[in-house]
């Protein structure tokens, strides 16, 4: 995958500011091409939706159904052609693919312009489907172009810039579409001109994108979309956590599509607002998602933190349900303009609910995407993303059909929002039961952010991939939870079997698939089973954590390390594995609620050190297995306690 762009990466490019990419030819023309395409998609769709909802009387397309039909037609090509477009992206030069797609966009927009000027709804519905084809072809190119021209350190920043640009483009396109189509007398013509102009600008900028050679020019295209789609879905299903995360993301698209498709009807039929009010609702929703997405980095402290996913799901349900109560009993009124709408206090609650439910949707979706990028095999990542696009399309079409059926059954728009909020609670609970890692990380996130002020030093020593043994001092009953919070990867803990008898913590550690261990004298079967399970964890390339002291300290001091770690490392060596040991030290945790104290047991006096007290984790450099004798390892952990 070497390209001229790669060879130009000198030391000055190792860790650049992501905004600096906008000054470089390998990125900037691609960014603005993507930006213009996203803006044009949404300008066209929203202008068409508003036109059918407010301005035309179409006997066979009710205003309440217009948004659903347009949304479904745009999404249908993603379902039909995603697998094929992924193959085309691998087979041909990506820059040529981009230019072909932009040429296609110009042709579609010329037809759409005629449809807008003449008010021909069937022609515009055809163009909606064709713009979906255009976006389906561009999607895989977007994901495949960036890794080809950016190095590993630039990739996160480059993806962040593209996502930010897409969000801004969607917002601007929707606002422009709603405002332009409402211009008295010239609205339809203005939209027609704007759509063609945006397509021409995108094609002109695409001319400056440097070549991006094919990654698999010998690929034989499977033109059967059904068999290729099934192949991609089977590939995604091989990794259970990744596949269920794909389902979780697709549910978020289902959830969002219900709200986005109903904004014109909500504005007109429930809030009694005009086209400008419909545009305002979209702005509020889009800004909420943008803020939620940006907050992820702050709340996760620059790590992939899937503990935010349950938090996002809770917020999505709470504010969807409150939106029902906020909008169901608004009194009848004449159609209002923007100023009159904002003068009514009850409308501010509706907008706050919309902003917060979309903010929590951002918190929900971004960590799920990051998890998929981390856990999917690099060789299969593009096809996994193609499978994600297919599932997204299925769920969005299902959302159109279900919302349409509910409307046909006499549901009001607020009742549809209530139904969606309740369904979200059920689906989220189901996903978290299937993949308990999300729930465990949520508990770890709450404890490490809201109960303690948890600071990790040396986290660069935590291995990003491959097997390792983590050896940590044992201070409290929640040491394992804090270690979970520090690592973006799952950790399997070897823990005293007695802790599993504790009502709440025992259930938590069973969910985490912790490994119970007893002394050989007390329970030989449990002792041997623990070492067998530990060996299996390391064989599978995962992280294994042990507390070599063998129990929680009773005086706050580091206790002598026992020899179990040597047995684990010898077993790994017998399996042909050279597993490093990562020494770790929890600091300032002794004396807190979850630790023992000299005058009594643990968890007997809540808030004995108050809330938000500072605790830390110091992570040391990896130790080779032949140097990880108990005494030497204890000395390293003791040194980390003083760091």
């Amino acid at each position: 995958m070497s390209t001229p762009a790669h060879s130009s990466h000198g030391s000055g490019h190792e860790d650049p500011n992501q905004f600096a990419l906008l000054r470089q030819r390998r990125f900037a023309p691609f960014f603005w091409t993507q930006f213009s395409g996203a803006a044009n998609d949404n300008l066209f769709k929203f202008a068409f939706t508003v036109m059918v909802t407010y301005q035309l009387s179409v006997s066979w397309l009710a205003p309440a159904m217009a948004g659903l039909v347009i949304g479904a037609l745009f999404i249908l090509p993603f379902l039909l052609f995603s697998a094929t477009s992924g193959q085309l992206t691998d087979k041909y030069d990506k820059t040529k693919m981009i230019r072909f797609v932009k040429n296609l966009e110009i042709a579609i927009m010329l037809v759409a312009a005629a449809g807008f000027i003449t008010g021909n709804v069937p022609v515009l519905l055809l163009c909606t489907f064709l713009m979906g084809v255009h976006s389906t072809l561009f999607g895989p190119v977007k994901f495949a172009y960036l890794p080809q021209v950016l190095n590993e350190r630039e990739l996160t920043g480059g993806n962040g810039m593209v996502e930010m640009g897409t969000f801004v483009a969607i917002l601007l396109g929707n606002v422009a579409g709603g405002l332009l189509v409402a211009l008295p007398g010239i609205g339809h013509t203005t939209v027609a001109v704007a759509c063609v102009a945006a397509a021409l600008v995108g094609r002109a900028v695409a001319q400056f994108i440097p070549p991006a050679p094919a990654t698999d020019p010998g690929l034989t295209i499977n033109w059967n979309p059904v068999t290729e789609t099934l192949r991609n879905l089977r590939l995604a299903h091989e990794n259970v956590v990744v596949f269920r995360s794909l389902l979780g993301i697709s549910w978020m698209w289902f959830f969002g599509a219900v709200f986005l498709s109903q904004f014109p009807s909500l504005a007109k039929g429930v809030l009694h607002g005009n086209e400008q009010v419909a545009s305002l609702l979209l702005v509020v929703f889009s800004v909420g998602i943008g803020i939620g997405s940006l907050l992820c980095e702050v709340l996760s402290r620059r790590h992939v933190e899937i503990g935010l996913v349950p938090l996002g799901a809770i917020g999505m349900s709470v504010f969807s349900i409150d939106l029902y109560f906020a909008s169901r009993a608004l009194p009848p009124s004449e159609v209002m303009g923007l100023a009159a709408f904002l003068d009514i206090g009850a409308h501010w609650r509706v907008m706050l609910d919309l902003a917060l439910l979309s903010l929590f949707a951002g918190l929900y979706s971004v960590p799920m995407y990051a998890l998929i990028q981390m856990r999917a095999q690099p060789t299969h990542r593009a096809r996994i993303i193609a499978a994600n696009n297919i599932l997204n399309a299925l769920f969005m079409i299902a959302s159109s059909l279900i919302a349409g059926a509910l409307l046909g059954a006499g549901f009001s728009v607020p009742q549809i929002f209530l139904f969606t909020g309740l369904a979200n609670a059920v689906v989220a609970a189901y996903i978290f039961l299937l993949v308990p890692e999300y729930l465990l990380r949520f508990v770890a996130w709450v404890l490490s952010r809201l109960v303690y002020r948890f600071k990790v030093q040396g986290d660069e020593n935590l291995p990003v991939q491959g097997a390792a043994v983590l050896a940590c001092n044992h201070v409290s009953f929640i040491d394992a939870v804090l270690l979970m919070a520090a690592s973006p990867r799952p950790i399997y803990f070897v823990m005293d079997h007695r802790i599993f008898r504790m009502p709440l913590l025992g259930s938590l550690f069973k969910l985490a698939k912790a490994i119970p261990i007893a002394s050989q004298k007390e329970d030989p079967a449990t002792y041997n089973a623990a070492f067998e399970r530990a060996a299996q964890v390391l064989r599978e390339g995962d992280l294994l954590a042990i507390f070599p002291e063998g129990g929680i300290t009773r005086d706050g001091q580091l206790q002598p390390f026992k020899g179990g770690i040597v047995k684990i490392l010898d077993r790994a060596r017998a399996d042909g594995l050279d597993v490093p040991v990562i020494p770790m030290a929890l600091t300032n945790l002794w004396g807190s609620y979850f630790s023992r104290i000299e005058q009594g047991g643990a968890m007997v006096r809540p808030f004995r050190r108050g809330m938000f007290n500072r605790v830390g984790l110091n992570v040391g450099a990896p130790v080779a297995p032949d140097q990880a004798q108990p005494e030497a390892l204890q000395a390293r952990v003791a040194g980390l306690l003083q760091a």
Side-chain angles (χ1 to χ4, degrees):
M1 235 184 346
S2 177
T3 71
H6 275 99
S7 61
S8 68
H9 294 169
S11 59
H13 286 297
E14 284 179 5
D15 195 14
N17 181 302
Q18 59 188 4
F19 291 99
L21 292 171
L22 285 175
R23 298 194 296 272
Q24 299 176 26
R25 188 185 163 199
R26 61 198 169 115
F27 182 81
F30 166 79
F31 174 87
W32 292 113
T33 301
Q34 149 75 10
F35 185 95
S36 69
N40 207 13
D41 277 349
N42 288 278
L43 190 159
F44 167 80
K45 281 192 297 175
F46 200 66
F48 181 27
T49 305
V50 170
M51 189 173 90
V52 176
T53 304
Y54 285 97
Q55 298 171 351
L56 299 178
S57 179
V58 184
S59 59
W60 47 272
L61 185 61
M65 297 294 291
L68 295 171
V69 172
I70 290 167
L73 271 177
F74 185 82
I75 291 303
L76 184 58
F78 284 89
L79 179 61
L80 298 176
F81 307 126
S82 281
T84 305
S85 65
Q87 295 177 89
L88 292 171
T89 300
D90 280 337
K91 184 172 178 65
Y92 298 108
D93 182 296
K94 290 165 188 59
T95 303
K96 290 180 179 175
M97 277 289 293
I98 291 170
R99 291 172 185 163
F100 167 78
V101 169
K102 301 314 282 185
N103 289 338
L104 179 63
E105 183 183 351
I106 293 171
I108 297 167
M109 286 297 107
L110 286 170
V111 177
F116 275 118
I117 291 168
T118 60
N120 191 320
V121 173
V123 166
L124 290 172
L125 288 172
L126 171 65
C127 290
T128 302
F129 178 82
L130 293 175
M131 282 303 285
V133 174
H134 152 272
S135 295
T136 303
L137 289 171
F138 191 79
V141 182
K142 178 173 75 173
F143 285 108
Y145 175 82
L146 288 179
Q148 204 163 335
V149 299
L150 302 181
N151 65 35
E152 183 188 1
R153 285 178 171 267
E154 296 168 318
L155 203 51
T156 299
N159 273 301
M161 290 295 293
V162 169
E163 289 306 309
M164 179 274 296
T166 303
F167 152 68
V168 173
I170 289 170
L171 181 57
L172 291 178
N174 279 298
V175 171
L179 296 178
L180 292 179
V181 78
L183 291 173
I186 59 168
H188 296 187
T189 303
T190 308
V191 169
V193 171
C195 286
V196 174
L200 289 170
V201 167
R203 177 60 182 88
V205 176
Q207 196 60 35
F208 295 94
I209 301 174
T215 51
D216 191 2
L219 178 69
T220 302
I221 302 290
N222 174 12
W223 291 104
N224 186 328
V226 176
T227 57
E228 189 62 26
T229 295
L230 290 173
R231 188 182 302 169
N232 280 3
L233 291 173
R234 277 197 300 271
L235 189 64
H237 196 263
E238 289 174 6
N239 186 322
V240 175
V241 172
V242 168
F243 185 72
R244 287 172 179 165
S245 299
L246 295 181
L247 293 176
I249 286 175
S250 296
W251 170 256
M252 194 275 297
W253 282 102
F254 177 104
F255 180 92
V258 170
F259 286 89
L260 288 169
S261 66
Q262 292 303 311
F263 279 162
S265 297
L266 175 67
K268 182 181 180 183
V270 179
L271 303 177
H272 314 294
N274 64 6
E275 297 97 321
Q276 292 176 333
V277 173
S279 295
L280 174 66
L281 298 180
L282 191 75
V283 170
V284 169
F285 191 84
S286 302
V287 168
I289 285 186
I291 292 172
S293 301
L294 294 174
L295 275 177
C296 285
E297 184 175 82
V298 177
L299 294 175
S300 63
R301 298 175 188 167
R302 296 179 175 270
H303 284 291
V304 176
E305 183 48 86
I306 61 173
L308 295 176
V309 175
L311 179 66
I314 291 166
M316 286 161 68
S317 280
V318 166
F319 292 105
S320 301
I321 293 166
D322 192 67
L323 181 60
Y324 162 74
F325 290 107
S327 59
R328 66 173 180 155
L330 293 173
S333 166
E334 296 295 321
V335 174
M336 288 176 275
L338 195 56
F341 175 81
L342 293 174
D343 277 341
I344 298 174
H347 294 160
W348 285 91
R349 180 180 169 190
V350 171
M351 289 191 293
L352 183 64
D353 282 334
L354 272 179
L356 288 173
L357 76 86
S358 59
L359 183 151
F360 280 99
L363 291 180
Y364 173 94
S365 62
V366 170
M368 272 198 173
Y369 274 115
L371 177 75
I372 290 165
Q373 290 169 337
M374 275 184 61
R375 303 278 178 89
Q377 289 186 38
T379 51
H380 297 159
R381 199 173 285 144
R383 280 174 285 175
I384 298 297
I385 290 166
N388 187 39
N389 289 342
I390 294 161
L391 287 170
N392 290 349
L394 276 171
F395 275 67
M396 291 173 79
I397 290 169
S399 83
S400 296
L401 295 174
I402 291 170
L406 292 173
L407 285 169
F411 276 59
S412 67
V413 172
Q415 286 171 335
I416 288 175
F417 294 162
L418 174 65
F419 171 84
T420 307
L422 294 172
N424 180 70
V426 173
V427 170
Y430 179 67
I431 290 172
F432 303 145
L433 285 172
L434 285 177
V435 189
E437 190 181 343
Y438 283 110
L439 208 53
L440 294 167
R441 296 292 304 216
F442 177 58
V443 172
W445 183 84
V446 169
L447 274 170
S448 63
R449 303 296 195 276
L450 303 182
V451 176
Y452 297 109
R453 286 179 295 157
F454 186 50
K455 184 177 181 182
V456 182
Q457 293 185 309
D459 56 350
E460 66 276 4
N461 292 317
L462 288 169
V464 177
Q465 56 187 13
V469 175
L470 313 180
C472 188
N473 60 325
H474 207 358
V475 190
S476 78
F477 285 97
I478 59 155
D479 293 351
V481 179
L482 291 174
L483 295 191
M484 275 185 224
S487 170
R489 292 174 61 193
I491 302 174
Y492 296 88
F493 295 89
V494 180
M495 304 179 74
D496 189 312
H497 68 107
R498 287 167 294 194
I499 203 169
F500 291 85
R501 298 175 195 157
M502 301 180 71
L504 188 60
L505 288 174
S507 301
L508 189 69
F509 294 133
K510 283 174 187 170
L511 266 181
K513 298 180 182 175
I515 304 165
I517 190 167
S519 70
Q520 193 165 17
K521 287 182 181 177
E522 182 184 0
D523 189 342
T526 299
Y527 176 83
N528 291 323
F531 283 102
E532 176 54 41
R533 178 73 184 100
Q536 183 185 350
V537 167
L538 296 177
R539 282 196 298 270
E540 291 172 357
D542 290 319
L543 298 179
L544 178 75
I546 66 168
F547 300 102
E549 294 166 275
I552 297 172
T553 177
R554 292 185 177 274
D555 59 6
Q557 301 302 309
L558 191 65
Q559 309 299 305
F561 281 18
K562 298 186 175 176
I565 190 167
V566 175
K567 184 169 181 176
I568 288 171
L569 294 172
D570 287 346
R571 179 73 178 269
R573 198 177 286 115
D575 288 334
L577 299 171
D578 199 28
V579 179
V581 179
I582 315 296
M584 313 170 88
L586 284 160
T587 61
N588 204 36
L589 192 54
W590 174 252
S592 70
Y593 173 66
F594 291 100
S595 75
R596 294 191 172 105
I597 53 174
E598 292 178 48
Q599 294 79 22
M603 295 179 281
V604 292
R605 215 169 74 223
F607 310 118
R608 63 188 177 205
R609 280 198 344 194
M611 290 288 285
F612 303 114
N613 43 91
R614 187 178 293 282
V615 300
L617 176 70
N618 296 331
V619 184
V623 177
D626 56 355
Q627 297 175 1
Q629 297 303 314
E631 298 81 7
L633 203 56
Q634 182 184 348
R636 284 184 181 263
V637 173
L640 290 170
L641 282 169
Q642 307 304 318

